[in-house]
Amino acid sequence: TGALATGPHDRTGQNVQTQRRDRITAHADLVDLAENQTEGEGKPFAALVFSCNGRGQNFFGVPNHDALTLTEILGPLATAGFFCQGEIGPIGQASYLHGYTASIALFCE
């Protein structure tokens, strides 16, 4: 219908920002972060992967995209995790609830 609904706490005159994610940019972001997170660290041997349920096969067109991308970049990893309805992650010094994201913890030697 072209309508946009928001939560009950919006104020008159408040700025509202929206983003649209696409699979090409989401994949490029994951590749860039995975390649750069291991600089100066030991070799990763395991990962915990918590992906938004919106990042599944319908978004990327293939199953297990995030875990497979990590394996392609970092080599075989013991990997565990699950799909979430939002992920908690930092912006600056504070934590926020995010959507369409993947929160990944790498365990290095």
Side-chain angles (χ1 to χ4, degrees):
T1 65
L4 175 66
T6 62
H9 302 291
D10 297 332
R11 299 179 318 274
T12 301
Q14 178 180 358
N15 291 333
V16 177
Q17 181 179 13
T18 62
Q19 290 86 27
R20 179 184 162 115
R21 295 289 292 179
D22 65 274
R23 65 182 177 189
I24 294 169
T25 304
H27 175 78
D29 286 348
L30 178 59
V31 169
D32 183 54
L33 290 170
E35 289 175 344
N36 292 317
Q37 287 300 319
T38 59
E39 291 179 7
E41 303 293 332
K43 178 177 172 42
F45 63 89
L48 293 175
V49 182
F50 305 100
S51 294
C52 179
N53 57 14
R55 288 177 65 96
Q57 186 168 350
N58 287 336
F59 187 64
F60 286 109
V62 296
N64 309 312
H65 171 270
D66 293 336
L68 290 174
T69 300
L70 289 176
T71 300
E72 288 172 5
I73 295 167
L74 304 173
L77 296 172
T79 304
F82 49 82
F83 284 104
C84 309
Q85 183 64 36
E87 300 71 50
I88 298 171
I91 297 178
Q93 298 299 315
S95 294
Y96 293 89
L97 182 64
H98 303 274
Y100 280 88
T101 60
S103 295
I104 300 166
L106 295 176
F107 297 86
C108 300
E109 297 173 348

PDB file of all heavy atoms in Angstrom, residues 28-62:
ATOM      1  N   ALA A  28      29.488  -8.862   0.642  1.00  0.00           N
ATOM      2  CA  ALA A  28      30.740  -8.100   0.600  1.00  0.00           C
ATOM      3  C   ALA A  28      31.148  -7.639   2.001  1.00  0.00           C
ATOM      4  O   ALA A  28      32.337  -7.688   2.352  1.00  0.00           O
ATOM      5  CB  ALA A  28      30.607  -6.912  -0.344  1.00  0.00           C
ATOM      6  N   ASP A  29      30.191  -7.202   2.814  1.00  0.00           N
ATOM      7  CA  ASP A  29      30.491  -6.781   4.190  1.00  0.00           C
ATOM      8  C   ASP A  29      31.046  -7.949   5.000  1.00  0.00           C
ATOM      9  O   ASP A  29      32.027  -7.789   5.735  1.00  0.00           O
ATOM     10  CB  ASP A  29      29.237  -6.240   4.882  1.00  0.00           C
ATOM     11  CG  ASP A  29      28.818  -4.866   4.400  1.00  0.00           C
ATOM     12  OD1 ASP A  29      29.619  -4.213   3.691  1.00  0.00           O
ATOM     13  OD2 ASP A  29      27.693  -4.458   4.729  1.00  0.00           O
ATOM     14  N   LEU A  30      30.431  -9.120   4.885  1.00  0.00           N
ATOM     15  CA  LEU A  30      30.889 -10.292   5.625  1.00  0.00           C
ATOM     16  C   LEU A  30      32.302 -10.683   5.197  1.00  0.00           C
ATOM     17  O   LEU A  30      33.164 -10.958   6.028  1.00  0.00           O
ATOM     18  CB  LEU A  30      29.927 -11.467   5.437  1.00  0.00           C
ATOM     19  CG  LEU A  30      30.319 -12.770   6.136  1.00  0.00           C
ATOM     20  CD1 LEU A  30      30.451 -12.566   7.648  1.00  0.00           C
ATOM     21  CD2 LEU A  30      29.306 -13.854   5.830  1.00  0.00           C
ATOM     22  N   VAL A  31      32.556 -10.694   3.902  1.00  0.00           N
ATOM     23  CA  VAL A  31      33.890 -11.036   3.391  1.00  0.00           C
ATOM     24  C   VAL A  31      34.925 -10.047   3.917  1.00  0.00           C
ATOM     25  O   VAL A  31      35.979 -10.442   4.435  1.00  0.00           O
ATOM     26  CB  VAL A  31      33.891 -11.070   1.845  1.00  0.00           C
ATOM     27  CG1 VAL A  31      35.303 -11.143   1.301  1.00  0.00           C
ATOM     28  CG2 VAL A  31      33.061 -12.244   1.341  1.00  0.00           C
ATOM     29  N   ASP A  32      34.639  -8.761   3.815  1.00  0.00           N
ATOM     30  CA  ASP A  32      35.572  -7.739   4.263  1.00  0.00           C
ATOM     31  C   ASP A  32      35.877  -7.874   5.752  1.00  0.00           C
ATOM     32  O   ASP A  32      37.039  -7.836   6.175  1.00  0.00           O
ATOM     33  CB  ASP A  32      35.010  -6.348   3.949  1.00  0.00           C
ATOM     34  CG  ASP A  32      35.967  -5.238   4.327  1.00  0.00           C
ATOM     35  OD1 ASP A  32      37.129  -5.270   3.878  1.00  0.00           O
ATOM     36  OD2 ASP A  32      35.542  -4.337   5.070  1.00  0.00           O
ATOM     37  N   LEU A  33      34.848  -8.034   6.560  1.00  0.00           N
ATOM     38  CA  LEU A  33      35.052  -8.152   8.000  1.00  0.00           C
ATOM     39  C   LEU A  33      35.810  -9.425   8.356  1.00  0.00           C
ATOM     40  O   LEU A  33      36.698  -9.411   9.210  1.00  0.00           O
ATOM     41  CB  LEU A  33      33.716  -8.092   8.729  1.00  0.00           C
ATOM     42  CG  LEU A  33      33.051  -6.718   8.716  1.00  0.00           C
ATOM     43  CD1 LEU A  33      31.622  -6.815   9.237  1.00  0.00           C
ATOM     44  CD2 LEU A  33      33.852  -5.734   9.544  1.00  0.00           C
ATOM     45  N   ALA A  34      35.485 -10.541   7.724  1.00  0.00           N
ATOM     46  CA  ALA A  34      36.170 -11.807   8.015  1.00  0.00           C
ATOM     47  C   ALA A  34      37.646 -11.732   7.633  1.00  0.00           C
ATOM     48  O   ALA A  34      38.511 -12.203   8.374  1.00  0.00           O
ATOM     49  CB  ALA A  34      35.490 -12.958   7.291  1.00  0.00           C
ATOM     50  N   GLU A  35      37.934 -11.126   6.508  1.00  0.00           N
ATOM     51  CA  GLU A  35      39.332 -11.008   6.067  1.00  0.00           C
ATOM     52  C   GLU A  35      40.140 -10.108   6.994  1.00  0.00           C
ATOM     53  O   GLU A  35      41.307 -10.362   7.259  1.00  0.00           O
ATOM     54  CB  GLU A  35      39.402 -10.480   4.636  1.00  0.00           C
ATOM     55  CG  GLU A  35      38.938 -11.479   3.613  1.00  0.00           C
ATOM     56  CD  GLU A  35      38.900 -10.925   2.195  1.00  0.00           C
ATOM     57  OE1 GLU A  35      38.934  -9.687   2.022  1.00  0.00           O
ATOM     58  OE2 GLU A  35      38.825 -11.745   1.272  1.00  0.00           O
ATOM     59  N   ASN A  36      39.522  -9.061   7.505  1.00  0.00           N
ATOM     60  CA  ASN A  36      40.246  -8.089   8.323  1.00  0.00           C
ATOM     61  C   ASN A  36      40.245  -8.396   9.815  1.00  0.00           C
ATOM     62  O   ASN A  36      41.076  -7.860  10.540  1.00  0.00           O
ATOM     63  CB  ASN A  36      39.684  -6.688   8.087  1.00  0.00           C
ATOM     64  CG  ASN A  36      39.987  -6.212   6.684  1.00  0.00           C
ATOM     65  OD1 ASN A  36      41.092  -6.388   6.190  1.00  0.00           O
ATOM     66  ND2 ASN A  36      38.998  -5.637   6.028  1.00  0.00           N
ATOM     67  N   GLN A  37      39.356  -9.233  10.311  1.00  0.00           N
ATOM     68  CA  GLN A  37      39.296  -9.521  11.738  1.00  0.00           C
ATOM     69  C   GLN A  37      40.445 -10.393  12.208  1.00  0.00           C
ATOM     70  O   GLN A  37      40.740 -10.440  13.384  1.00  0.00           O
ATOM     71  CB  GLN A  37      37.966 -10.196  12.103  1.00  0.00           C
ATOM     72  CG  GLN A  37      36.796  -9.268  12.072  1.00  0.00           C
ATOM     73  CD  GLN A  37      36.945  -8.113  13.049  1.00  0.00           C
ATOM     74  OE1 GLN A  37      37.398  -8.277  14.160  1.00  0.00           O
ATOM     75  NE2 GLN A  37      36.565  -6.925  12.623  1.00  0.00           N
ATOM     76  N   THR A  38      41.095 -11.090  11.316  1.00  0.00           N
ATOM     77  CA  THR A  38      42.139 -12.020  11.729  1.00  0.00           C
ATOM     78  C   THR A  38      43.537 -11.425  11.615  1.00  0.00           C
ATOM     79  O   THR A  38      44.509 -12.089  11.944  1.00  0.00           O
ATOM     80  CB  THR A  38      42.060 -13.312  10.900  1.00  0.00           C
ATOM     81  OG1 THR A  38      42.204 -12.984   9.514  1.00  0.00           O
ATOM     82  CG2 THR A  38      40.747 -14.020  11.132  1.00  0.00           C
ATOM     83  N   GLU A  39      43.664 -10.187  11.164  1.00  0.00           N
ATOM     84  CA  GLU A  39      44.983  -9.568  11.045  1.00  0.00           C
ATOM     85  C   GLU A  39      45.602  -9.407  12.430  1.00  0.00           C
ATOM     86  O   GLU A  39      45.010  -8.828  13.328  1.00  0.00           O
ATOM     87  CB  GLU A  39      44.869  -8.210  10.356  1.00  0.00           C
ATOM     88  CG  GLU A  39      44.491  -8.318   8.907  1.00  0.00           C
ATOM     89  CD  GLU A  39      44.353  -6.960   8.229  1.00  0.00           C
ATOM     90  OE1 GLU A  39      44.676  -5.938   8.854  1.00  0.00           O
ATOM     91  OE2 GLU A  39      43.912  -6.949   7.078  1.00  0.00           O
ATOM     92  N   GLY A  40      46.803  -9.945  12.619  1.00  0.00           N
ATOM     93  CA  GLY A  40      47.506  -9.820  13.885  1.00  0.00           C
ATOM     94  C   GLY A  40      47.042 -10.798  14.944  1.00  0.00           C
ATOM     95  O   GLY A  40      47.576 -10.823  16.038  1.00  0.00           O
ATOM     96  N   GLU A  41      46.064 -11.579  14.677  1.00  0.00           N
ATOM     97  CA  GLU A  41      45.559 -12.569  15.634  1.00  0.00           C
ATOM     98  C   GLU A  41      46.072 -13.940  15.224  1.00  0.00           C
ATOM     99  O   GLU A  41      46.598 -14.129  14.140  1.00  0.00           O
ATOM    100  CB  GLU A  41      44.019 -12.576  15.645  1.00  0.00           C
ATOM    101  CG  GLU A  41      43.395 -11.247  15.967  1.00  0.00           C
ATOM    102  CD  GLU A  41      43.657 -10.790  17.393  1.00  0.00           C
ATOM    103  OE1 GLU A  41      43.842 -11.650  18.274  1.00  0.00           O
ATOM    104  OE2 GLU A  41      43.690  -9.575  17.607  1.00  0.00           O
ATOM    105  N   GLY A  42      45.886 -14.908  16.092  1.00  0.00           N
ATOM    106  CA  GLY A  42      46.219 -16.280  15.733  1.00  0.00           C
ATOM    107  C   GLY A  42      45.216 -16.809  14.730  1.00  0.00           C
ATOM    108  O   GLY A  42      44.185 -16.197  14.458  1.00  0.00           O
ATOM    109  N   LYS A  43      45.495 -17.964  14.188  1.00  0.00           N
ATOM    110  CA  LYS A  43      44.608 -18.581  13.199  1.00  0.00           C
ATOM    111  C   LYS A  43      43.302 -19.007  13.876  1.00  0.00           C
ATOM    112  O   LYS A  43      43.327 -19.678  14.896  1.00  0.00           O
ATOM    113  CB  LYS A  43      45.296 -19.791  12.580  1.00  0.00           C
ATOM    114  CG  LYS A  43      44.462 -20.531  11.574  1.00  0.00           C
ATOM    115  CD  LYS A  43      45.250 -21.669  10.969  1.00  0.00           C
ATOM    116  CE  LYS A  43      44.424 -22.584  10.100  1.00  0.00           C
ATOM    117  NZ  LYS A  43      43.478 -22.005   9.224  1.00  0.00           N
ATOM    118  N   PRO A  44      42.156 -18.619  13.314  1.00  0.00           N
ATOM    119  CA  PRO A  44      40.869 -19.052  13.887  1.00  0.00           C
ATOM    120  C   PRO A  44      40.700 -20.566  13.765  1.00  0.00           C
ATOM    121  O   PRO A  44      41.044 -21.156  12.747  1.00  0.00           O
ATOM    122  CB  PRO A  44      39.831 -18.329  13.036  1.00  0.00           C
ATOM    123  CG  PRO A  44      40.559 -17.221  12.376  1.00  0.00           C
ATOM    124  CD  PRO A  44      41.965 -17.701  12.196  1.00  0.00           C
ATOM    125  N   PHE A  45      40.200 -21.179  14.833  1.00  0.00           N
ATOM    126  CA  PHE A  45      39.935 -22.614  14.807  1.00  0.00           C
ATOM    127  C   PHE A  45      38.463 -22.930  15.053  1.00  0.00           C
ATOM    128  O   PHE A  45      38.017 -24.045  14.817  1.00  0.00           O
ATOM    129  CB  PHE A  45      40.808 -23.361  15.823  1.00  0.00           C
ATOM    130  CG  PHE A  45      40.541 -22.967  17.260  1.00  0.00           C
ATOM    131  CD1 PHE A  45      39.579 -23.633  18.012  1.00  0.00           C
ATOM    132  CD2 PHE A  45      41.257 -21.943  17.850  1.00  0.00           C
ATOM    133  CE1 PHE A  45      39.344 -23.277  19.322  1.00  0.00           C
ATOM    134  CE2 PHE A  45      41.025 -21.577  19.163  1.00  0.00           C
ATOM    135  CZ  PHE A  45      40.065 -22.250  19.911  1.00  0.00           C
ATOM    136  N   ALA A  46      37.690 -21.926  15.496  1.00  0.00           N
ATOM    137  CA  ALA A  46      36.268 -22.151  15.756  1.00  0.00           C
ATOM    138  C   ALA A  46      35.514 -20.828  15.651  1.00  0.00           C
ATOM    139  O   ALA A  46      36.112 -19.749  15.756  1.00  0.00           O
ATOM    140  CB  ALA A  46      36.064 -22.755  17.140  1.00  0.00           C
ATOM    141  N   ALA A  47      34.201 -20.926  15.433  1.00  0.00           N
ATOM    142  CA  ALA A  47      33.363 -19.734  15.335  1.00  0.00           C
ATOM    143  C   ALA A  47      31.980 -20.016  15.894  1.00  0.00           C
ATOM    144  O   ALA A  47      31.468 -21.131  15.789  1.00  0.00           O
ATOM    145  CB  ALA A  47      33.239 -19.291  13.883  1.00  0.00           C
ATOM    146  N   LEU A  48      31.393 -19.005  16.504  1.00  0.00           N
ATOM    147  CA  LEU A  48      29.973 -18.998  16.848  1.00  0.00           C
ATOM    148  C   LEU A  48      29.317 -18.014  15.890  1.00  0.00           C
ATOM    149  O   LEU A  48      29.771 -16.875  15.760  1.00  0.00           O
ATOM    150  CB  LEU A  48      29.751 -18.552  18.288  1.00  0.00           C
ATOM    151  CG  LEU A  48      30.273 -19.478  19.375  1.00  0.00           C
ATOM    152  CD1 LEU A  48      30.086 -18.847  20.745  1.00  0.00           C
ATOM    153  CD2 LEU A  48      29.561 -20.826  19.302  1.00  0.00           C
ATOM    154  N   VAL A  49      28.280 -18.456  15.203  1.00  0.00           N
ATOM    155  CA  VAL A  49      27.619 -17.642  14.182  1.00  0.00           C
ATOM    156  C   VAL A  49      26.142 -17.516  14.542  1.00  0.00           C
ATOM    157  O   VAL A  49      25.435 -18.519  14.614  1.00  0.00           O
ATOM    158  CB  VAL A  49      27.771 -18.271  12.777  1.00  0.00           C
ATOM    159  CG1 VAL A  49      27.114 -17.388  11.728  1.00  0.00           C
ATOM    160  CG2 VAL A  49      29.235 -18.513  12.445  1.00  0.00           C
ATOM    161  N   PHE A  50      25.696 -16.275  14.771  1.00  0.00           N
ATOM    162  CA  PHE A  50      24.301 -16.001  15.087  1.00  0.00           C
ATOM    163  C   PHE A  50      23.762 -15.085  14.001  1.00  0.00           C
ATOM    164  O   PHE A  50      24.072 -13.900  13.964  1.00  0.00           O
ATOM    165  CB  PHE A  50      24.173 -15.364  16.470  1.00  0.00           C
ATOM    166  CG  PHE A  50      24.830 -16.197  17.537  1.00  0.00           C
ATOM    167  CD1 PHE A  50      26.081 -15.875  18.004  1.00  0.00           C
ATOM    168  CD2 PHE A  50      24.192 -17.319  18.016  1.00  0.00           C
ATOM    169  CE1 PHE A  50      26.695 -16.648  18.977  1.00  0.00           C
ATOM    170  CE2 PHE A  50      24.802 -18.112  18.988  1.00  0.00           C
ATOM    171  CZ  PHE A  50      26.058 -17.767  19.465  1.00  0.00           C
ATOM    172  N   SER A  51      22.981 -15.645  13.098  1.00  0.00           N
ATOM    173  CA  SER A  51      22.469 -14.911  11.934  1.00  0.00           C
ATOM    174  C   SER A  51      20.987 -14.633  12.091  1.00  0.00           C
ATOM    175  O   SER A  51      20.231 -15.477  12.576  1.00  0.00           O
ATOM    176  CB  SER A  51      22.680 -15.726  10.655  1.00  0.00           C
ATOM    177  OG  SER A  51      24.046 -15.860  10.375  1.00  0.00           O
ATOM    178  N   CYS A  52      20.574 -13.455  11.642  1.00  0.00           N
ATOM    179  CA  CYS A  52      19.156 -13.122  11.611  1.00  0.00           C
ATOM    180  C   CYS A  52      18.443 -14.113  10.698  1.00  0.00           C
ATOM    181  O   CYS A  52      18.965 -14.497   9.644  1.00  0.00           O
ATOM    182  CB  CYS A  52      18.988 -11.695  11.093  1.00  0.00           C
ATOM    183  SG  CYS A  52      17.264 -11.179  10.997  1.00  0.00           S
ATOM    184  N   ASN A  53      17.246 -14.524  11.105  1.00  0.00           N
ATOM    185  CA  ASN A  53      16.504 -15.467  10.259  1.00  0.00           C
ATOM    186  C   ASN A  53      16.178 -14.873   8.893  1.00  0.00           C
ATOM    187  O   ASN A  53      15.884 -15.584   7.960  1.00  0.00           O
ATOM    188  CB  ASN A  53      15.249 -15.989  10.956  1.00  0.00           C
ATOM    189  CG  ASN A  53      14.309 -14.905  11.388  1.00  0.00           C
ATOM    190  OD1 ASN A  53      14.414 -13.755  10.970  1.00  0.00           O
ATOM    191  ND2 ASN A  53      13.375 -15.256  12.248  1.00  0.00           N
ATOM    192  N   GLY A  54      16.295 -13.563   8.742  1.00  0.00           N
ATOM    193  CA  GLY A  54      16.115 -12.926   7.441  1.00  0.00           C
ATOM    194  C   GLY A  54      17.292 -13.110   6.500  1.00  0.00           C
ATOM    195  O   GLY A  54      17.209 -12.796   5.320  1.00  0.00           O
ATOM    196  N   ARG A  55      18.441 -13.612   7.008  1.00  0.00           N
ATOM    197  CA  ARG A  55      19.636 -13.824   6.191  1.00  0.00           C
ATOM    198  C   ARG A  55      19.705 -15.252   5.648  1.00  0.00           C
ATOM    199  O   ARG A  55      20.726 -15.665   5.132  1.00  0.00           O
ATOM    200  CB  ARG A  55      20.900 -13.570   7.014  1.00  0.00           C
ATOM    201  CG  ARG A  55      21.140 -12.133   7.321  1.00  0.00           C
ATOM    202  CD  ARG A  55      22.367 -11.960   8.186  1.00  0.00           C
ATOM    203  NE  ARG A  55      23.607 -12.339   7.542  1.00  0.00           N
ATOM    204  CZ  ARG A  55      24.426 -11.503   6.924  1.00  0.00           C
ATOM    205  NH1 ARG A  55      24.127 -10.232   6.844  1.00  0.00           N
ATOM    206  NH2 ARG A  55      25.545 -11.941   6.387  1.00  0.00           N
ATOM    207  N   GLY A  56      18.674 -15.984   5.708  1.00  0.00           N
ATOM    208  CA  GLY A  56      18.693 -17.374   5.278  1.00  0.00           C
ATOM    209  C   GLY A  56      18.673 -17.548   3.762  1.00  0.00           C
ATOM    210  O   GLY A  56      19.042 -16.663   2.987  1.00  0.00           O
ATOM    211  N   GLN A  57      18.210 -18.700   3.354  1.00  0.00           N
ATOM    212  CA  GLN A  57      18.201 -19.076   1.938  1.00  0.00           C
ATOM    213  C   GLN A  57      17.374 -18.117   1.088  1.00  0.00           C
ATOM    214  O   GLN A  57      17.735 -17.834  -0.053  1.00  0.00           O
ATOM    215  CB  GLN A  57      17.674 -20.497   1.780  1.00  0.00           C
ATOM    216  CG  GLN A  57      17.763 -21.005   0.363  1.00  0.00           C
ATOM    217  CD  GLN A  57      17.519 -22.493   0.261  1.00  0.00           C
ATOM    218  OE1 GLN A  57      17.466 -23.193   1.266  1.00  0.00           O
ATOM    219  NE2 GLN A  57      17.363 -22.983  -0.948  1.00  0.00           N
ATOM    220  N   ASN A  58      16.295 -17.586   1.631  1.00  0.00           N
ATOM    221  CA  ASN A  58      15.474 -16.651   0.837  1.00  0.00           C
ATOM    222  C   ASN A  58      16.215 -15.356   0.522  1.00  0.00           C
ATOM    223  O   ASN A  58      15.987 -14.747  -0.513  1.00  0.00           O
ATOM    224  CB  ASN A  58      14.168 -16.325   1.574  1.00  0.00           C
ATOM    225  CG  ASN A  58      13.212 -17.487   1.558  1.00  0.00           C
ATOM    226  OD1 ASN A  58      13.264 -18.340   0.694  1.00  0.00           O
ATOM    227  ND2 ASN A  58      12.339 -17.541   2.554  1.00  0.00           N
ATOM    228  N   PHE A  59      17.114 -14.932   1.398  1.00  0.00           N
ATOM    229  CA  PHE A  59      17.869 -13.686   1.180  1.00  0.00           C
ATOM    230  C   PHE A  59      19.053 -13.914   0.251  1.00  0.00           C
ATOM    231  O   PHE A  59      19.259 -13.167  -0.702  1.00  0.00           O
ATOM    232  CB  PHE A  59      18.342 -13.137   2.529  1.00  0.00           C
ATOM    233  CG  PHE A  59      18.990 -11.774   2.451  1.00  0.00           C
ATOM    234  CD1 PHE A  59      18.273 -10.663   2.045  1.00  0.00           C
ATOM    235  CD2 PHE A  59      20.308 -11.603   2.818  1.00  0.00           C
ATOM    236  CE1 PHE A  59      18.867  -9.404   1.995  1.00  0.00           C
ATOM    237  CE2 PHE A  59      20.909 -10.358   2.772  1.00  0.00           C
ATOM    238  CZ  PHE A  59      20.185  -9.260   2.362  1.00  0.00           C
ATOM    239  N   PHE A  60      19.855 -14.954   0.521  1.00  0.00           N
ATOM    240  CA  PHE A  60      21.073 -15.189  -0.244  1.00  0.00           C
ATOM    241  C   PHE A  60      20.903 -16.149  -1.417  1.00  0.00           C
ATOM    242  O   PHE A  60      21.765 -16.221  -2.285  1.00  0.00           O
ATOM    243  CB  PHE A  60      22.182 -15.721   0.666  1.00  0.00           C
ATOM    244  CG  PHE A  60      22.760 -14.674   1.567  1.00  0.00           C
ATOM    245  CD1 PHE A  60      22.519 -14.698   2.923  1.00  0.00           C
ATOM    246  CD2 PHE A  60      23.541 -13.649   1.063  1.00  0.00           C
ATOM    247  CE1 PHE A  60      23.051 -13.737   3.763  1.00  0.00           C
ATOM    248  CE2 PHE A  60      24.072 -12.677   1.884  1.00  0.00           C
ATOM    249  CZ  PHE A  60      23.827 -12.725   3.239  1.00  0.00           C
ATOM    250  N   GLY A  61      19.826 -16.922  -1.428  1.00  0.00           N
ATOM    251  CA  GLY A  61      19.619 -17.870  -2.524  1.00  0.00           C
ATOM    252  C   GLY A  61      20.322 -19.202  -2.332  1.00  0.00           C
ATOM    253  O   GLY A  61      20.214 -20.087  -3.176  1.00  0.00           O
ATOM    254  N   VAL A  62      21.070 -19.353  -1.248  1.00  0.00           N
ATOM    255  CA  VAL A  62      21.751 -20.609  -0.922  1.00  0.00           C
ATOM    256  C   VAL A  62      21.628 -20.846   0.580  1.00  0.00           C
ATOM    257  O   VAL A  62      21.593 -19.891   1.355  1.00  0.00           O
ATOM    258  CB  VAL A  62      23.248 -20.586  -1.318  1.00  0.00           C
ATOM    259  CG1 VAL A  62      23.426 -20.460  -2.817  1.00  0.00           C
ATOM    260  CG2 VAL A  62      23.991 -19.471  -0.605  1.00  0.00           C
TER     261      VAL A  62
END
